[in-house]
Amino acid sequence: MKPDLAATLRSLLLEQQTAALATLHKGEPALSMVPYALLPEGQGFVIHVSRLAVHTADMLANPAVSLLVVAPAGSAASPQELVRASVQGWARQLPPESAEYANAKALYVARFPASEQTFSFSDFKLFVIEPRSVRFVGGFARATSILAGEFVSIMKGAE
């Protein structure tokens, strides 16, 4: 990926705080919105969700998910020019007793301080969405697809 596009992708994912989360619900596509934090160097997206939410049950039943992160509407002259990334990945619930959980929680709470209280609610679970591939649109006619390894390199700044 060209360095300017890589920088745009990193900037999009670091600056935006929410993503559309697509899951499979009873054989049909389902879409919701989730706040996310990033694990270091593109290793995954951390989400903290309630067991009461349909998307949580969906991820437990079928871990194949997609995330869509889009730049704000006013950031481009037309909707087709909006910078966006569609991430295909696997959702994995983190065990609360693991070191990985503690690290992911710290990153999530650092990004969303008001979320601290929800970690005391028994129905909230922490998941990591591990990217398999990313379709990135860096503006009109500037699209590319990348696999997980390249995504990690880009997020490290080593493209």
Side-chain angles (χ1 to χ4, degrees), residues 54-143:
V54 170
H55 55 244
T56 305
D58 293 344
M59 290 186 294
L60 290 169
N62 183 346
V65 298
S66 289
L67 290 174
L68 175 64
V69 179
V70 182
S75 64
S78 73
Q80 292 87 356
E81 295 179 64
L82 285 174
V83 173
R84 55 203 179 269
S86 178
V87 178
Q88 283 56 257
W90 299 107
R92 179 172 54 87
Q93 185 178 341
L94 298 179
E97 63 279 358
S98 71
E100 188 179 17
Y101 180 97
N103 182 47
K105 176 185 175 183
L107 290 167
Y108 194 88
V109 170
R111 189 160 200 198
F112 304 106
S115 73
E116 177 74 47
Q117 68 177 357
T118 61
F119 281 88
S120 66
F121 301 164
S122 63
D123 67 303
F124 271 77
K125 306 300 177 194
L126 201 59
F127 282 78
V128 169
I129 297 173
E130 298 170 342
R132 288 182 305 135
S133 65
V134 177
R135 179 71 177 161
F136 177 62
V137 179
F140 187 73
R142 297 182 71 197

Side-chain angles (χ1 to χ4, degrees), residues 3-40:
D4 64 321
L5 277 179
T8 301
L9 174 57
R10 279 192 304 275
S11 177
L12 172 72
L13 297 178
L14 292 168
E15 291 173 11
Q16 298 309 306
Q17 294 186 333
T18 60
L21 170 66
T23 59
L24 194 59
H25 182 72
K26 298 181 181 177
E28 298 290 331
L31 195 60
S32 56
M33 185 279 301
V34 291
Y36 70 88
L38 287 168
L39 290 177

